[in-house]
Amino acid sequence: MSSAAAFSYAPLLPTGPDQTDYRLVTDEGVDVVHGPGGRRFLTVEPAALTALTAEAMHDIAHYLRPAHLAQLRAIIDDPAASPNDRFVALDLLRNANIAAGGVLPMCQDTGTAIVMGKRGRHVLTDGADAEAISRGVYQAYTKLNLRYSQLAPLTMWDERNTGSNLPAQVELYAEDPDGHPDAYKFLFMAKGGGSANKSYLYQETKALLNPTRMMQFLEEKLRLIGTAACPPYHLAIVIGGTSAEYALKTAKYASAKYLDALPTSGSMSAHGFRDLELEAEVLELTRNFGIGAQFGGRYFCHDVRVVRLPRHGASCPVAIAVSCSADRQAVAKITPSGVWLERLETDPARFLPDVTDDSLDAEMVVRVDLNRPMDEIRTELSKYPVKTRLSLSGPLVVARDIAHAKIAERLDAGEPMPQYLRDHAVYYAGPAKTPEGYASGSFGPTTAGRMDAYVEKFQAAGGSQVMLAKGNRSGQVTRSCQQHGGFYLGSIGGPAARLAQDCIKHVEVLEYPELGMEAVWKIEVEDFPAFIVVDDKGNDFFAEVTKPVLTVGRR
């Protein structure tokens, strides 16, 4: 065996200087005390951790980073963007403007609270940091108009909503952040189910590590992400990793721009780095998918981060993650000068263009009256091709996972399809809490694919003839719609606050009130935007754009 190399150490993810624009949350609950050897210690009270967490979870539910908003505006200004790209981008900007009012959160799925912290060696707390942070999560979710999404497992098969959105995922590390022993730094995230479900791990081999094979692999896998997680995406790809779980965690951090300051080349110290050239090539690859910002175009992704990590010679994990149009994260720090939180954009209206619906091809919108009998609605939809933009007005029934399971049990027991699913289009969604004076809380669509297994059964029984949700569907849904004369309409994933404020006029519970947001609802909508995705003739917009077309490798 050859002799060992000389000892060399570098952190796996060496980040550069912190360029964040912070705002002061409070200077209470922090103090500096002097210890032996002239050392200074920062003391942090539990209340400071709680206050910071509550403030952070509020801000990321309502505000976005200025850079993200600028990227949305750039889509509208890009002459190469499709009309549907521009329409989605404008709707997301309008949604951001409404959410910034601090009442309606930007997305109805207000997510799992995820907190990562790095505590310097000279920071003193009472040792129950995770509890204090969780208390801040509790305060935010119970006091604000946010949704409770966490389920406690009571047995292997039975579970119940915790009613507080706890537990949070809290990970704390003993590490001097940026070399400062008297600092405590954080990354706060709210991760909804849609984007979390689009985190992928692939166990590959050395054979993947050549330019041609890599680009072919990425085209195949990235198309599979689809639109259920609400693009345009911030896409992260991690190649390598000391373990599978480390690769996945790194992808999540990269999607949040937390690793933007990594080195851009590797060395024998085996640290991770960003490959800027591959980032640009993958971004261009996604521009050519045709998927676009949900309904055709160029803007499947805002940007791409590619991180290369060291690996075991017998293992080559590849992790993929996205941050969606609800790009909810913020960094924070506690230092001797106080408790600081990243300054997010509180005036997103400055990114809105002087644009009218007419300039976004509003004359191409087909208006659909949902007050008519279901057969008339289907006859009207049958006149138009997939990708046609619609404006819906009238009643919708709302039902999602648990309600579908209960109705399926009734059908299996020989009971008839509920009349409300025979008479009305069904919207897959679950609302956030309704603020006082509003008809609805934030009420955007959920991922359609989770209901795919029910479609043929329901349509054969006369229900779910017109479905409305976000994302692509499986082939079985297309076949069922062709057989039974059904339609799947895609709703824009992301602008839940705008839908609540502008489109949803009345909400009432029809059945299963004990299920909370998973109940069956009836809502009245006005000018609710949608697109024909699957029609009654066997056409599926997403079937074409998910076919690989790449014939050349990396330049």
Side-chain angles (χ1 to χ4, degrees):
M1 294 180 63
S2 60
S3 59
F7 175 79
S8 176
Y9 172 78
L12 275 175
L13 296 172
T15 55
D18 185 358
Q19 305 292 336
T20 305
D21 180 18
Y22 290 98
R23 66 177 181 86
L24 182 66
V25 175
T26 182
D27 57 6
E28 297 181 359
V30 296
D31 197 8
V32 175
V33 298
H34 296 278
R39 289 178 293 179
R40 296 197 321 161
F41 291 85
L42 175 66
T43 63
V44 180
E45 297 296 327
L49 293 172
T50 298
L52 172 60
T53 302
E55 188 80 358
M57 300 315 296
H58 166 275
D59 281 14
I60 63 179
H62 292 282
Y63 309 132
L64 291 158
R65 287 170 167 161
H68 175 88
L69 294 163
Q71 287 175 306
L72 286 172
R73 172 60 188 267
I75 296 173
I76 298 171
D77 294 337
D78 182 0
S82 73
N84 285 351
D85 277 338
R86 293 195 292 273
F87 178 71
V88 170
L90 180 60
D91 220 36
L92 291 172
L93 278 176
R94 288 169 170 165
N95 186 71
N97 196 54
I98 293 168
V103 178
L104 293 167
M106 68 183 74
C107 179
Q108 81 287 341
D109 184 348
T110 48
T112 298
I114 300 173
V115 185
M116 187 272 287
K118 296 179 179 179
R119 189 174 79 183
R121 66 187 186 276
H122 290 172
V123 177
L124 304 178
T125 69
D126 70 353
D129 298 19
E131 180 179 351
I133 290 168
S134 295
R135 186 176 295 277
V137 171
Y138 174 85
Q139 289 182 3
Y141 277 83
T142 55
K143 292 180 179 179
L144 302 173
N145 297 308
L146 309 183
R147 196 176 84 183
Y148 308 143
S149 299
Q150 305 308 307
L151 302 177
L154 304 181
T155 70
M156 180 59 73
W157 321 118
D158 300 315
E159 52 191 7
R160 185 176 302 165
N161 195 300
T162 63
S164 64
N165 215 56
L166 292 177
Q169 179 179 318
V170 182
E171 300 178 2
L172 303 176
Y173 299 89
E175 177 181 330
D176 288 353
D178 302 325
H180 296 290
D182 58 350
Y184 205 161
K185 301 194 75 172
F186 301 89
L187 171 64
F188 291 95
M189 304 179 73
K191 199 70 173 172
S195 61
N197 291 345
K198 296 303 178 180
S199 299
Y200 295 103
L201 174 70
Y202 301 98
Q203 295 287 15
E204 297 299 315
T205 69
K206 167 66 176 174
L208 185 66
L209 299 180
N210 71 78
T212 299
R213 177 68 189 115
M214 178 63 73
M215 292 299 283
Q216 292 170 342
F217 170 87
L218 290 176
E219 177 176 21
E220 175 190 350
K221 302 307 182 186
L222 296 179
R223 285 178 180 272
L224 295 177
I225 295 174
T227 62
C230 308
Y233 298 127
H234 301 285
L235 171 66
I237 302 164
V238 174
I239 300 160
T242 49
S243 65
E245 64 271 21
Y246 194 82
L248 280 167
K249 184 177 294 188
T250 302
K252 179 176 285 187
Y253 291 162
S255 72
K257 306 299 183 71
Y258 187 72
L259 303 178
D260 274 10
L262 282 178
T264 56
S265 60
S267 74
M268 285 305 296
S269 59
H271 56 75
F273 65 90
R274 285 179 60 189
D275 186 328
L276 302 184
E277 180 184 354
L278 188 54
E279 289 178 1
E281 292 181 10
V282 173
L283 181 60
E284 185 59 28
L285 176 70
T286 66
R287 293 279 194 260
N288 295 318
F289 283 174
I291 300 174
Q294 306 190 28
F295 301 102
R298 289 170 45 83
Y299 282 93
F300 185 63
C301 295
H302 284 303
D303 48 42
V304 177
R305 297 294 182 266
V306 176
V307 177
R308 181 67 159 90
L309 292 179
R311 68 183 185 93
H312 185 284
S315 176
C316 185
V318 177
I320 296 173
V322 297
S323 184
C324 66
S325 58
D327 189 40
R328 293 174 295 196
Q329 55 263 325
V331 295
K333 63 181 180 180
I334 302 178
T335 69
S337 60
V339 179
W340 301 83
L341 180 61
E342 181 177 356
R343 188 186 306 276
L344 302 180
E345 181 57 65
T346 58
D347 182 25
R350 67 187 182 93
F351 292 94
L352 282 168
D354 294 325
V355 64
T356 65
D357 284 340
D358 290 339
S359 64
L360 292 177
D361 302 312
E363 68 276 3
M364 299 172 60
V365 178
V366 175
R367 302 193 179 278
V368 179
D369 181 4
L370 298 175
N371 290 290
R372 293 178 292 173
M374 178 54 64
D375 286 346
E376 290 186 19
I377 294 172
R378 290 193 291 167
T379 298
E380 177 70 14
L381 293 175
S382 192
K383 299 175 183 178
Y384 304 100
V386 294
K387 211 165 70 171
T388 298
R389 193 168 127 212
L390 309 173
S391 177
L392 309 177
S393 295
L396 288 168
V397 166
V398 180
R400 46 179 284 160
D401 306 63
I402 298 179
H404 274 70
K406 287 183 174 292
I407 292 169
E409 290 174 359
R410 287 158 59 174
L411 295 178
D412 290 340
E415 298 180 31
M417 172 64 64
Q419 193 64 37
Y420 54 73
L421 279 183
R422 299 175 64 92
D423 293 342
H424 301 293
V426 59
Y427 179 37
Y428 302 159
K433 284 182 282 187
T434 301
E436 186 176 352
Y438 285 71
S440 166
S442 293
F443 211 156
T446 196
T447 302
R450 298 203 309 273
M451 268 55 75
D452 283 5
Y454 301 103
V455 173
E456 203 286 325
K457 179 192 294 284
F458 281 26
Q459 289 190 336
S464 296
Q465 298 296 333
V466 177
M467 302 161 285
L468 176 66
K470 67 175 181 177
N472 46 301
R473 308 298 294 263
S474 63
Q476 69 189 90
V477 172
T478 303
R479 292 188 293 271
S480 182
C481 286
Q482 184 175 17
Q483 178 181 354
H484 298 288
F487 293 85
Y488 166 54
L489 311 181
S491 177
I492 300 173
R498 196 193 76 76
L499 293 175
Q501 176 176 285
D502 299 338
C503 302
I504 299 175
K505 304 303 180 182
H506 178 73
V507 177
E508 62 180 286
V509 176
L510 281 183
E511 196 170 16
Y512 304 122
E514 71 277 8
L515 298 181
M517 68 94 177
E518 291 259 14
V520 177
W521 309 78
K522 185 177 181 181
I523 65 175
E524 290 285 335
V525 301
E526 183 178 299
D527 293 328
F528 192 109
F531 295 78
I532 299 176
V533 176
V534 176
D535 66 14
D536 58 346
K537 306 170 189 68
N539 298 308
D540 176 4
F541 162 67
F542 287 110
E544 291 302 314
V545 297
T546 54
K547 294 178 181 177
V549 298
L550 188 66
T551 57
V552 297
R554 183 179 178 184
R555 296 186 297 275

